[in-house]
Amino acid sequence: MKVINLCSENSVVQKIMSELRDPKIQKDSHRFRWNLQRLGQIMAYEVSKTLDYDTTDVQTPLGIAKHNLPTDKVVLATIFRAGLPYHQGFLDIFDDAENAFVSAYRYYKDKDCSEVGIKVEYIAAPDLTGKTVIIADPMLATGGSFELAMEAFKTHGTPKHIHICAVVACQSGVDYLLKLFKDQNVTIWTVVIDPILNEKKYIVPGLGDAGDLCYGGKL
């Protein structure tokens, strides 16, 4: 198991990430969703480099061209609701992939909002047996949502490989998933890793509530 951090190198990803964090630009929810989608496209391209490929002959009008085409059966999975635009970015690249969805949300167990619980209510997924599953969700805070989502998806079969893809991750959440899945075929991808969680389990410096920034507030 390994961790790949796209911001460990300089690229246009840094600019997109800076816009996601900027409160002035965050006021434009369309721009925020589009930036998530763009990062999904970029990360999907990076993930595609790790797939298995076979050489195929393609008949052109003038001859035969050889191309290496992916042989993995890819399933794109996401967690409602903030994951939807990020998921769309992956689907723009893996346009023939199957899709899976799970509803997982956080709630506070105490009045001080310091103890967080995660609840899963809904899952829709194809057979995942032997397939490459990409779970895309913008925020990896404690790791709890990804853990429960993976448990839910695995009720539909055992994948060949799982890619956990976040935009902003907290170091403690990454460490938790590394320990949890250390002996499994799991890769963690993130755009940036931030250092801490605050008392309400939000990533700092982070970017705020990705779901609210995408689609507006909630009661």
Side-chain angles (χ1 to χ4, degrees), residues 82 86 137-141 145-146 165-169 203 206-211:
Y86 191 41
D137 190 55
M139 311 302 287
L140 195 175
S145 293
F146 277 106
C165 297
V167 174
V168 182
I203 303 171
L207 50 77
D209 188 305

Side-chain angles (χ1 to χ4, degrees), residues 42-105:
I42 292 169
M43 188 167 286
Y45 170 73
E46 294 298 327
V47 173
S48 75
K49 298 176 183 178
T50 71
L51 302 180
D52 292 329
Y53 288 78
D54 273 345
T55 302
T56 300
D57 290 338
V58 177
Q59 179 69 57
T60 79
L62 301 176
I64 295 177
K66 293 185 179 295
H67 287 278
N68 295 331
L69 301 182
T71 58
D72 293 71
K73 294 182 178 179
V74 175
V75 178
L76 302 178
T78 196
I79 303 172
F80 292 144
R81 63 180 169 147
L84 292 175
Y86 191 41
H87 174 91
Q88 182 60 51
F90 282 85
L91 191 57
D92 291 340
I93 304 303
F94 296 110
D95 55 352
D96 58 352
E98 295 180 286
N99 292 266
F101 302 91
V102 65
S103 169
Y105 64 90

Side-chain angles (χ1 to χ4, degrees), residues 100-134:
F101 302 91
V102 65
S103 169
Y105 64 90
R106 65 159 58 191
Y107 65 94
Y108 295 110
K109 297 180 179 180
D110 59 334
K111 293 182 179 180
D112 296 330
C113 299
S114 60
E115 188 176 356
V116 177
I118 306 293
K119 187 175 180 62
V120 173
E121 288 188 335
Y122 168 86
I123 179 173
D127 181 10
L128 303 181
T129 304
K131 298 176 182 178
T132 296
V133 177
I134 300 171

